[in-house]
Structure formats: C-alpha cells, structure tokens
Amino acid sequence: MMRTRPLKVALLGCGVVGSEVARIMTTHADDLAARIGAPVELAGVAVRRPSKVREGIDPALITTDATALVERGDIDVVIEVIGGIEPARTLITTAFEHGAGVVSANKALLAEDGSALHAAAEKHGRDLYYEAAVAGAIPLVRPLRESLAGDKVNRVLGIVNGTTNFILDKMDTSGAGYSEALDEATALGYAEADPTADVEGFDAAAKAAILAGIAFHTRVRIGEVHREGITEVTAADIASARRMGCTVKLLAICERAADGRSVTARVHPAMIPLSHPLASVREAYNAVFVEAEAAGQLMFYGPGAGGSPTASAVLGDLVAVCRNKIGEATGPGESAYTRLPVSPMGDVVTRYHISLDVADKPGVLAQVATVFAEQGVSIDTVRQQSRQDPDGEASLVVVTHRALDAALSGTVEALRKLDTVRGVASIMRVEGE
C-alpha cells in the first residue's frame, strides 16, 4: 500500500545537474512514487542567484538560505549538487543532525573527508549515498558497496574523466596536438573554461580515492593518490604508442598489493594495447574494469558526465534513500575495517616507455643499456632511429619489463647524466598487458 504523505526533498544547487534532477522529479513523479511506495515532493531549492529563471521550478521554492532549508526539520532527503568542500560539508552534516538522509554528487568532498561524513551519517542513523560522484550514470559505487560485498576486489582500472578521454581520443584519431584537441573539447562543452581539474587529473584522482576506499574496505584520501595529468602528452607520444599497437588513455588504477598488506591508487596517462577493451572507449565516455577473485573481470561502460546521466544516478540514490526512510532503515555505510596503508608511487611495479634524444654515434645504445642494468631495470625492446639531424641526434625508444617506479626514477636520473643523452623526450607507463 502506498503511503499518502509525501517525502520532502531539498535540492542544494540548481545548475546543469540540479535542474535536470528537478525536471525528472516532476515529469516522472508518478513512476518515482510507485517505485518508492510514497510520493516525493520538492520542498525547496537552494541557489546562489535567485533572479535566474529556472524553467519548470516554482519560484516559491527558490531560496538563497541553504542552511535554513536543511534545518527545517520536515525534510526527508537532501540532494547536494553544489560541489566543493564548503559550505557543502557543513550543509550535509547539518542535514544529518536534522533528520535527513543525503544524496551527493560531490566527489571532491567525499575524496577529502568521506570518512567524517560517514561517521556523521552513522551517528545520526542517516543514509549517505553518492553514486553520481563517480562516473556519472554508470552504476559503479553500488555494485562495489553491495553486489561485490561478499567478494574480494583486487583491482579497479578505468577511464573516469570524459574530458581527458575526449582530448586524447581526438589526438589519436585526428593527429591534433594537445592544445587543438582541448580547444575542440571546450567548443563542444566537454571542457570547462578552466579545465585544470580535468586535464591535471584532480577530478580522476578524487574518483580513484572513492573507488579505492570502497573496493578495498580502507580509507583513501585524495592526497594519497598519485596524480599526473595529460598536459605533457604530445602528438609524438600518441604516434609512438600507435607504432607499438597501443593508444594513450588517462587511467585511474587502484590495486591491492600481491601480499594483501597495502593498496595503491594512482592516476596518470598510460599506453594500453589496442586489443584491450579500454582502448576502444571513445570521446567523452567512461569505462571501468573491476577485477574480483570470485566474479573475475567486470566492465562498466557509459556516459561519465553531463546533466542527464548524472541526474540519473542521483535519482537512483534518491529512490534508495526514500525506500530506507519508509522502512525506517539505513543502507550500507563506510566499510573501512581493513585499515590498509596506501603505498607511495615508488612502490608500484609497471612497464615503461621511454623516449630519449641521443647522440647519433656508435656506443650510445651500449651506454644506455648499461644504465638500465645498473639500476636493475630489464629492457624489453629498443628502437633507434637516425633523424638525419645536422646536430647528429637520433631518437632512442626503450620499453622496459615490469619494474619499480622508484627504480625507473633512478634510471632516468642516471640517463640524464650521460653526455650522449641530449634529453628525455617523454616517459609513459604501459598498462593493460
């Protein structure tokens, strides 16, 4: 039997995502009520610019006082899509204190202070759901928190930022340079006016922290995630990857150590073989691989950003929180019982593609090979090509076997000291093999 008293929802933020959430709540009201077991009512919308016209939203619901809205006491669920650390953190904890469950899309806050938010939710017996914080519409958080709760996840590998994937895809398919591809992404609305959070890897690092924490039942903060962006990726890197039968992607990689005693979380560009499913993820799409002991390899694919996809994830969480509210229950909270340390990047073992500018004369390859040997880094393949350069330079590309990142750093430092090495053109990790 459906409950007649509506569940009241407060919406914090009414930008691209928030306005789409409000629209779906209105147009799909009957379906949402049937799925929840009670009608849902938009009780207030907190914004910064009240004068802006918001189609489909009753102006009487608009307020600039977000604190007063979440303190009302009759609000059942607060949807937070304003982003940033403050005032979002204070508003969420205030919502818990006044009896509301929370649905958030705030990856930055969750990656920075998720454990404190979970603790506040548990203290007050409230829900904290955040499917929309990672990979837009792709169901990923809930499968990790619930569907795989009985399994042991060892690795999460994926493309979790649509802007960077679009840029790298355009560089690969059209031969464009980084700046040209970024300009196209901006013109099409895939990149913000200030794209720093995306292209420098901050967005992906926040998502990696969230995913690692859930997957490995431990606390991982964004500051513990190794982060490199794509601003240094060149057309030459893309071409070199193509010669190896690879493409370049910005990857978020979360791994449990082989001995199970630690975890790593990192974001950086990497070459992956064209045969790998992630290589075919085009334009602004996202895809994530999850490797679990019993389930094996699982792949999640779809649009990772945008108003409608993100709103879809928000509404899915809204249904779950409302159902819990009616049943006087709460969903899964934080699971951080393993308390595993997060290892630094120097402890990560992977392969490397290193491009060197060297003197075009006999003996150079032997000198370079000696440096790798002295540092304990095994070479897989070497390709040397003369440029017919008036300065007598050649290109030397070395691909290693798997090695410690710290050992590779020592190798590069030693190579720079060789008189015959004129410069290190690029260093890129090789994944997915």
Side-chain angles (χ1 to χ4, degrees):
M1 181 181 295
M2 182 176 293
R3 195 176 85 164
T4 56
R5 186 179 72 80
L7 292 161
K8 294 189 176 183
V9 178
L11 178 61
L12 308 183
C14 198
V16 174
V17 175
S19 59
E20 190 65 9
V21 168
R23 184 191 69 79
I24 295 174
M25 284 185 64
T26 301
T27 58
H28 294 182
D30 291 342
D31 286 336
L32 289 172
R35 295 165 191 170
I36 292 168
V40 288
E41 173 189 312
L42 189 58
V45 181
V47 299
R48 285 183 294 181
R49 297 190 299 274
S51 59
K52 181 179 177 180
V53 176
R54 294 172 172 84
E55 188 176 346
I57 298 178
D58 184 351
L61 297 177
I62 301 296
T63 178
T64 57
D65 194 343
T67 300
L69 180 59
V70 299
E71 287 181 344
R72 275 176 38 173
D74 64 337
I75 300 297
D76 296 291
V77 184
V78 169
I79 297 174
E80 183 271 309
V81 288
I82 57 178
I85 305 301
E86 288 291 356
R89 174 168 46 199
T90 299
L91 291 170
I92 288 173
T93 55
T94 301
F96 293 145
E97 293 167 2
H98 288 78
V102 172
V103 174
S104 176
N106 195 332
K107 53 188 169 286
L109 177 58
L110 288 159
E112 176 64 33
D113 214 15
S115 59
L117 295 180
H118 276 293
E122 182 178 1
K123 176 182 177 181
H124 297 284
R126 307 302 170 199
D127 272 325
L128 174 61
Y129 276 61
Y130 44 90
E131 185 67 67
V134 181
I138 304 173
L140 189 57
V141 171
R142 191 172 288 118
L144 284 172
R145 284 214 298 183
E146 301 178 32
S147 303
L148 294 173
D151 207 340
K152 182 180 179 182
V153 175
N154 290 317
R155 194 171 193 236
V156 179
L157 165 74
I159 298 164
V160 295
N161 182 272
T163 300
T164 53
N165 199 58
F166 180 90
I167 292 170
L168 292 173
D169 181 48
K170 288 303 174 184
M171 291 176 69
D172 185 34
T173 57
S174 71
Y178 168 77
S179 296
E180 295 170 271
L182 174 59
D183 288 344
E184 183 174 354
T186 304
L188 292 172
Y190 292 126
E192 301 286 347
D194 179 1
T196 302
D198 293 320
V199 300
E200 294 291 357
F202 290 101
D203 175 84
K207 295 170 182 176
I210 295 169
L211 292 175
I214 300 171
F216 307 135
H217 303 278
T218 196
R219 288 174 179 168
V220 179
R221 298 183 67 177
I222 188 169
E224 297 173 301
V225 179
H226 175 82
R227 175 191 56 79
E228 298 173 30
I230 66 167
T231 55
E232 301 301 318
V233 177
T234 65
D237 293 327
I238 302 293
S240 189
R242 194 178 299 113
R243 285 192 291 269
M244 288 179 57
C246 294
T247 189
V248 177
K249 299 291 185 182
L250 182 73
L251 298 180
I253 305 171
C254 311
E255 295 177 304
R256 188 191 300 268
D259 62 9
R261 295 179 180 177
S262 64
V263 299
T264 59
R266 50 195 167 104
V267 168
H268 54 70
M271 296 180 179
I272 58 173
L274 294 176
S275 58
H276 195 284
L278 288 178
S280 62
V281 178
R282 302 288 305 279
E283 298 197 331
Y285 276 75
N286 286 190
V288 178
F289 265 89
V290 176
E291 298 175 10
E293 284 196 355
Q297 282 194 340
L298 307 172
M299 182 174 175
F300 301 83
Y301 170 83
S308 294
T310 306
S312 171
V314 169
L315 268 295
D317 280 351
L318 176 64
V319 169
V321 174
C322 286
R323 286 173 174 170
N324 291 342
K325 192 82 173 182
I326 292 172
E328 298 182 347
T330 55
E334 182 186 34
S335 175
Y337 70 92
T338 63
R339 297 182 174 86
L340 297 173
V342 182
S343 296
M345 188 63 192
D347 292 345
V348 171
V349 176
T350 189
R351 297 180 67 206
Y352 296 86
H353 174 282
I354 305 163
S355 180
L356 304 171
D357 296 325
V358 300
D360 190 5
K361 62 183 183 180
V364 173
L365 180 56
Q367 290 182 344
V368 169
T370 297
V371 169
F372 277 86
E374 289 173 347
Q375 297 294 325
V377 179
S378 177
I379 294 175
D380 182 16
T381 62
V382 177
R383 184 179 72 251
Q384 185 170 353
Q385 181 177 356
S386 176
R387 301 175 183 166
Q388 304 298 316
D389 191 287
D391 295 326
E393 285 192 1
S395 295
L396 182 64
V397 175
V398 178
V399 179
T400 74
H401 287 288
R402 290 173 64 82
L404 278 172
D405 188 89
L408 192 282
S409 297
T411 302
V412 172
E413 185 177 344
L415 287 171
R416 295 185 193 277
K417 295 178 181 178
L418 292 177
D419 292 338
T420 51
V421 174
R422 307 288 171 77
V424 179
S426 69
I427 303 171
M428 193 168 294
R429 296 170 183 87
V430 182
E431 300 284 349
E433 296 184 323

